Amino acid sequence: MAGGAVPKFSNEAGAREIAIGVKEFTCIGANPPFDHPHIWLDMGSDAEIVCPYCSTLYRYDAALGAHESRPAEALIREKSSV
């Protein structure tokens, strides 16, 4: 994602699929300390991708913003250092 931070998503709740508004992102699996290696995924021209570590199905949804997901709690909000 040129020009911005790459969003991170987790599947702490064990959702069957997660809808996201980007095609390039990082999956961390569950929330730390139970996360898997943080893996960068790129859907390319496809509309979905499965994480090879946690098997979460991510589907692109153009109606969502770059930092939005459904369910909303799948987005990892980075803590500000201010």
Side-chain angles (χ1 to χ4, degrees):
M1 254 185 91
V6 175
K8 291 182 182 179
F9 299 95
S10 74
N11 192 3
E12 183 74 16
R16 181 177 162 153
E17 69 180 58
I18 297 174
I20 58 176
V22 292
K23 290 191 163 200
E24 297 175 354
F25 62 97
T26 300
C27 178
I28 70 166
N31 292 330
F34 305 108
D35 50 340
H36 62 53
H38 298 192
I39 182 170
W40 183 77
L41 298 170
D42 183 351
M43 291 183 200
S45 61
D46 295 333
E48 62 185 36
I49 194 168
V50 174
C51 176
Y53 282 96
C54 65
S55 300
T56 298
L57 173 62
Y58 289 95
R59 289 187 192 251
Y60 176 71
D61 184 340
L64 295 172
H67 293 278
E68 294 182 308
S69 66
R70 194 172 43 253
E73 60 272 8
L75 176 66
I76 301 298
R77 302 201 185 274
E78 298 293 331
K79 294 180 181 171
S80 174
S81 60
V82 177

